[in-house]
């Protein structure tokens, strides 16, 4: 039966779009599903403030009455203006191993991009850097993290046949947590605090962190602005993410580096116990018992992995030892809670400044993700 592609028009189809990812990977030991309601909110044009400067389209592919693939087309006008380009993005992409399916999906999103005046399409990318980025191209035998998306090995083969080529790679690392602070980190940390008038800020309750919430995301904008495809977060987006993320964080696993003279945030590390296994058990929903699995992962004693969710240093303090100051605080905390290993978020292959921070630890490159680019002939 011929493959047909349908544009999503209502919430019922949007829920099917989100749920297809969970259904496709059912039983896969490495896939980590997100929460359906969270992804629905991300894709909702009325609730996600990214739509102040983004537009999108969502497609489902069918073989008869059966869903066999999905894809989103996104145009981030702010990113295009920043990077002086006319590119669309593809994201939220999944499909069965059938070239007719992937061809139909990508033709649909490319046709849409051309109709909008775009001359290229890149991805997988989302609306912002806080959405999943990159297609897994190496490390298929490793469990994913909450911040990343798993994909079958055949995905990259399909993209190559459709004319997509490497645009950028990200690498992920597993770091063995040392039993004590490396001597060099301790020495550098003490010097940096004294030289630049910096101090470490910790939080015991949400009342203490709220005054710093906007400062955290402002630093995120400063630190990540030069990086591939980055779209600066608006004040409206910052408020949106504060409400979404701050309540779910482990406050004791957050470290801020503060400049004493003006209380500015110049370094931050937001880490979380790995929620991968808990999300696998939750199967996309907090109810009826998904929340129990997540709570145990957040505060239970059996979780040995911590995810380095966000690490950022203000540009004027990069390469000055401030990252050592973050681990000066975190390593004793990780040991206190029994964490044995940490997983990094994806780090750009060319960002040697970030990757150099693992030189003083036992670390292993465990996954590679890729953004692809295709120039559109009729753009």
């Amino acid at each position: 039966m011929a493959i047909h592609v349908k544009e999503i028009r209502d919430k019922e189809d949007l829920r099917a779009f989100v749920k297809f990812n969970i259904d496709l990977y059912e039983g896969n030991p490495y896939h980590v599903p997100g929460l359906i309601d969270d992804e629905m909110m991300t894709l909702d044009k009325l609730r996600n403030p990214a739509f102040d400067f983004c537009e999108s389209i969502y497609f489902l592919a069918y073989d008869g009455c059966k869903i066999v693939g999905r894809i989103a087309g996104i145009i981030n006008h702010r990113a295009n203006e920043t990077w002086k380009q006319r590119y669309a993005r593809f994201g939220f992409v999944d499909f069965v191993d059938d070239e007719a399916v992937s061809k139909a999906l990508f033709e649909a999103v490319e046709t849409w991009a051309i109709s909008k005046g775009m001359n290229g399409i890149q991805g997988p990318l989302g609306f912002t850097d806080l959405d999943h980025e990159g297609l897994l191209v190496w490390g298929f035998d490793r469990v994913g993290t909450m911040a990343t998306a798993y994909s079958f090995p055949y995905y990259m083969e399909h993209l190559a046949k459709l004319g997509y080529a490497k645009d950028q790679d990200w690498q992920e690392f597993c770091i063995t947590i040392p039993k004590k602070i490396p001597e060099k980190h301790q020495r550098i940390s003490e010097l940096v605090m004294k030289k630049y008038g910096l101090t470490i800020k910790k939080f015991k309750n949400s009342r203490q962190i709220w005054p710093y919430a906007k400062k955290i995301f402002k630093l995120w904008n400063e630190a990540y602005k030069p990086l591939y495809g980055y779209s600066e977060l608006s004040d409206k987006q910052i408020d949106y993410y504060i409400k979404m993320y701050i309540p779910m964080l482990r406050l004791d696993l957050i470290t801020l580096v503060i400049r004493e003279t003006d209380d500015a945030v110049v370094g931050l590390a937001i880490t979380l116990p790995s929620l991968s296994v808990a999300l696998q058990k939750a199967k996309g929903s907090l109810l009826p018992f998904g929340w129990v699995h997540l709570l145990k992962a957040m505060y239970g004693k059996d979780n040995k992995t911590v995810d380095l969710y966000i690490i950022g240093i203000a540009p004027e303090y990069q390469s000055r030892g401030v990252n050592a100051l973050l681990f000066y605080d975190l390593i004793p905390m990780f040991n206190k809670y029994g964490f044995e290993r940490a997983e990094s978020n994806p780090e750009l292959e060319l960002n040697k400044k970030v990757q150099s921070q693992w030189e003083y630890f036992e670390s292993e490159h465990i996954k590679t993700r890729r953004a692809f680019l295709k120039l559109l002939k009729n753009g």
Side-chain angles (χ1 to χ4, degrees), residues 41-79:
M41 186 160 64
T42 297
L43 298 169
D44 191 324
K45 299 175 184 181
L46 298 178
R47 293 196 288 172
N48 187 343
F51 283 98
D52 287 348
F53 50 85
C54 291
E55 55 184 302
S56 69
I57 193 167
Y58 313 131
F59 295 106
L60 284 171
Y62 289 83
D63 185 349
C65 295
K66 182 181 179 182
I67 298 173
V68 290
R70 69 170 191 168
I71 196 168
I74 298 167
I75 299 175
N76 185 321
H77 294 286
R78 175 173 289 173

Side-chain angles (χ1 to χ4, degrees), residues 294-306:
L294 291 169
L295 196 63
K296 286 182 177 178
M298 282 286 282
Y299 297 99
K301 296 181 180 180
D302 296 331
N303 196 343
K304 302 300 181 185
T305 303
V306 63

Side-chain angles (χ1 to χ4, degrees), residues 42 51 119 146 176 285 298 338:
T42 297
F51 283 98
N119 60 16
M146 178 179 68
T176 300
S285 178
M298 282 286 282

Side-chain angles (χ1 to χ4, degrees), residues 68 103 110 116 171 193 203 205 250 256 327 348 370 373 377:
V68 290
K103 185 173 186 290
E110 288 168 16
K116 295 290 183 176
Q171 297 177 343
M193 283 192 285
F203 306 98
N205 55 58
R250 275 272 303 262
L256 299 186
F327 292 103
L348 285 167
R370 179 164 298 164
L373 173 66
K377 294 181 181 179

